[in-house]
Amino acid sequence: MFTLGSLGRMPERPYNFSAGPGVLPLPVLEQAKRDLVALPGLGVSPLEVSHRSAWFTEVIERAEADLRALLAVPDTHRIVFCQGGASMQFSMVALNLLRGAGARADYVVTGSWGQKALAEARKEGDARAAWDGRSDGFIRTPSPGELAAALGPGAAYAHITTNETIQGVEFPANPIAPDGLPLVADCSSDFLSRPMDVERYGLLYAGAQKNAGPAGVAVVIVREDLLERAPEDLPTMLDYRTYVREGSLFNTPPVFSIYVLGLVAHWLRQDVGGLGTMAERNRAKAALVYDAIDDSGGFYRGHADPASRSLMNVTWRLPAEDLELAFVSEAAAEGLTDLKGHRSVGGIRASIYNAMPHEGVEALAAFMREFSADGSR
Ligand code: PMP
């Protein structure tokens, strides 16, 4: 019978290219392992400790302070932790900022997650696709000029997805919304991968389980004055004001997820040295994969337009589906796991989040070059 004990020695960790939950920094996992049974000085597990304890008060305050420092979040903006994933934010954004607004919301749809966000917003009010990349197959983000033309005056907010995880399409820089139009962003899959100009955003949110920590918590950063627009009769747990007022402690928060998120934020500040350095590392890693695609003489076909290529999720096709299957299984045999593309796009997707080591991406690029060399097969 299978028992955890029968596993014996831990197998080597493979290079895990999962889109999410994704790879976490090894020092974070090791710290969580050390703390898991008994926190030093407390003697209890982070899975057992009260969310009202002094220990957790310090954890959540430090996590918030580290996020604030990493992203240079201005005093005008509050940071809160919600459950329900980024998907619940699709609804919370619209409940708080659209339902009572008496105006429409403009969604910039650059992939599958933007479509989902728009569908939820439509349940709460008048929401439209102000720009939609679907007819092109979601291969790019709008240019600044297209964006300016698409986002009309008078909307309650404009919503973008900074990085479309499934298609591998990312805004190359902070998009700019017209003056006075609050910009709302789903940053789930490129959160903390590069510096952001938070001041430009009315609200941004991210499910933690790619770059920021485990599943179970979503980070929301919101300009406080926008919350005055929310209707008074929202369910307590769907009203951002509850989280702001109670420091995300109205009810029991996901203690363990916030604890690990705090370790990740600390790792980014102390070990990595901030988001500027992280972004440079991410650019270098992504270049290894894109170069392998571009040097393959057409064997690999990148999904995204070069100007909108994601630094987090690299997506590409091979000449035939059976080659794609062979690629995924042969890569897994080499310790390069979870490379199968999302079923809606097909092909290959390599998610190369912050914690994916450079060597992991080098190994992938080397494998790609070898595979295409014999795979003109
Ligand atoms: N938005 C984006 C960009 C995502 O990548 C995901 C998850 N992959 C979601 C939203 C949904 O997140 P969750 O599963 O946390 O609801």
Side-chain angles (χ1 to χ4, degrees), residues 12-374:
E12 278 296 307
R13 280 165 58 82
Y15 291 121
N16 168 16
F17 294 94
S18 165
V23 59
L24 285 170
L26 197 53
V28 166
L29 295 176
E30 282 168 346
Q31 178 72 48
K33 180 183 169 188
R34 280 195 296 276
D35 288 350
L36 189 69
V37 174
L39 284 158
L42 283 184
V44 293
S45 166
L47 291 165
E48 300 170 317
V49 74
S50 165
H51 59 294
R52 308 278 176 207
S53 63
W55 174 77
F56 188 66
T57 305
E58 197 188 326
V59 163
I60 195 167
E61 284 176 359
R62 202 181 315 140
E64 184 190 328
D66 281 343
L67 289 176
R68 194 170 279 281
L70 281 166
L71 288 159
V73 177
D75 289 344
T76 43
H77 288 59
R78 301 293 296 261
I79 302 177
V80 298
F81 301 102
C82 298
Q83 301 194 49
S87 300
M88 201 171 81
Q89 293 309 310
F90 297 164
S91 302
M92 275 181 82
V93 163
L95 280 162
N96 284 264
L97 301 183
L98 176 60
R99 205 197 239 189
R104 64 160 204 282
D106 282 349
Y107 278 66
V108 177
V109 183
T110 50
S112 309
W113 292 110
Q115 280 182 316
K116 290 203 160 89
L118 172 59
E120 292 304 314
R122 284 194 164 130
K123 297 176 184 170
E124 305 305 334
D126 180 12
R128 63 160 191 161
W131 190 92
D132 194 337
R134 189 175 56 163
S135 56
D136 291 339
F138 292 133
I139 55 171
R140 67 182 187 93
T141 56
S143 68
E146 285 174 306
L147 199 62
L151 300 178
Y157 62 86
H159 181 284
I160 62 165
T161 310
T162 50
N163 181 59
E164 281 286 356
T165 323
I166 290 175
Q167 282 79 14
V169 165
E170 187 176 24
F171 278 89
N174 281 291
I176 300 178
D179 278 352
L181 177 61
L183 187 59
V184 174
D186 173 2
C187 309
S188 294
S189 49
D190 61 356
F191 188 57
L192 303 179
S193 71
R194 55 180 177 174
M196 284 185 86
D197 208 347
V198 173
E199 205 170 4
R200 289 221 185 115
Y201 292 87
L203 186 150
L204 57 89
Y205 61 91
Q209 66 272 17
K210 288 100 166 53
N211 271 333
V217 61
V219 179
V220 179
I221 304 178
V222 58
R223 216 177 72 209
E224 203 168 357
D225 65 286
L226 291 179
L227 302 182
E228 300 315 316
R229 304 181 182 187
E232 285 305 322
D233 61 348
L234 291 181
T236 309
M237 288 302 292
L238 298 176
D239 188 330
Y240 289 124
R241 287 169 298 205
T242 306
Y243 295 79
V244 167
R245 198 174 52 238
E246 305 288 338
S248 307
L249 291 168
F250 173 77
N251 75 332
T252 316
V255 169
F256 190 78
S257 298
I258 293 172
Y259 151 75
V260 177
L261 181 143
L263 295 179
V264 172
H266 184 76
W267 170 79
L268 275 167
R269 280 189 83 183
Q270 297 300 317
D271 295 19
V272 175
L275 298 188
T277 312
M278 196 68 252
E280 271 169 42
R281 290 190 195 172
N282 285 332
R283 272 194 296 273
K285 285 188 288 180
L288 292 171
V289 190
Y290 287 117
D291 285 351
I293 292 174
D294 292 341
D295 294 347
S296 73
F299 181 76
Y300 299 122
R301 280 170 296 116
H303 174 81
D305 264 7
S308 303
R309 282 173 160 178
S310 170
L311 301 189
M312 294 285 101
N313 313 96
V314 185
T315 49
W316 71 96
R317 301 297 311 246
L318 272 67
E321 241 174 82
D322 58 337
L323 278 172
E324 290 170 346
L325 289 173
F327 181 99
V328 170
S329 66
E330 287 177 33
E334 306 266 327
L336 308 167
T337 62
D338 246 309
L339 282 162
K340 193 171 183 325
H342 189 273
R343 58 195 175 279
S344 63
V345 173
I348 313 293
R349 171 173 55 174
S351 297
I352 47 176
Y353 296 125
N354 285 351
M356 170 58 66
H358 192 84
E359 307 82 68
V361 186
E362 276 177 341
L364 172 63
F367 174 80
M368 289 171 71
R369 290 179 191 275
E370 252 171 57
F371 191 90
S372 61
D374 17 289

